């Protein structure tokens, strides 16, 4: 997924915030959409910033739950970059909460 990496000694956190995404809740088959905030601590390997957004885009295309998408993004970064650490936060509006059931339009779970 993060095929092109570069060898680079860099010991600061790399962060891309507010990466927009849309997905489908596998429980209700209703959309959820939001923003991903993705960070990693390099371990001698970096990737172009657009590749982080591409990883969010690719993982968001299938039916799922927000928790799994968060975990999968973190695993991809750890595995493919051999990162010293990662942080992934997804903030999303779930239409299963806003248009049916509890009907709380301003709620945004973060994972």
């Amino acid at each position: 997924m993060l095929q092109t990496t570069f060898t680079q000694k860099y010991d600061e956190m790399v962060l891309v915030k507010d990466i927009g995404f849309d997905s489908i809740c596998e429980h209700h088959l209703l959309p959820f959409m939001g923003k991903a905030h993705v960070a990693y601590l390099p371990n001698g390997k970096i990737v172009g910033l657009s590749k982080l957004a591409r990883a969010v885009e690719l993982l968001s295309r299938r039916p799922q739950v927000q928790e799994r998408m968060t975990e999968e993004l973190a695993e991809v970064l750890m595995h493919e970059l051999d990162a010293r650490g990662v942080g992934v936060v997804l903030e999303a509006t779930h239409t299963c909460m806003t248009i049916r059931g509890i009907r709380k339009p301003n709620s945004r779970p973060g994972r």
Side-chain angles (χ1 to χ4, degrees):
M1 185 175 294
L2 303 174
Q3 296 169 338
T4 305
T5 61
F6 304 95
T7 302
Q8 179 68 44
K9 183 172 171 43
Y10 185 75
D11 62 358
E12 301 292 327
M13 180 172 47
V14 176
L15 168 67
V16 179
K17 302 186 306 181
D18 298 326
I19 303 168
F21 71 89
D22 302 297
S23 193
I24 299 290
C25 171
E26 70 182 34
H27 293 148
H28 304 102
L29 297 178
L30 289 170
F32 67 95
M33 63 287 292
K35 296 177 183 179
H37 314 292
V38 180
Y40 71 97
L41 284 169
N43 190 20
K45 229 190 289 191
I46 61 170
V47 66
L49 298 177
S50 68
K51 299 301 186 258
L52 300 177
R54 186 176 310 277
V56 171
E57 177 68 21
L58 289 172
L59 290 173
S60 69
R61 289 186 178 173
R62 57 182 172 239
Q64 65 202 316
V65 293
Q66 183 174 338
E67 294 84 355
R68 185 179 314 112
M69 184 177 161
T70 303
E71 185 177 1
E72 287 177 349
L73 276 168
E75 288 173 357
V76 163
L77 292 174
M78 284 298 291
H79 180 262
E80 295 194 24
L81 295 177
D82 189 31
R84 292 184 294 150
V86 301
V88 176
V89 175
L90 300 184
E91 296 178 80
T93 299
H94 292 251
T95 57
C96 55
M97 284 185 65
T98 61
I99 65 170
R100 61 172 291 282
I102 194 76
R103 294 186 188 211
K104 297 296 181 191
N106 293 320
S107 61
R108 284 190 336 220
R111 310 269 194 310

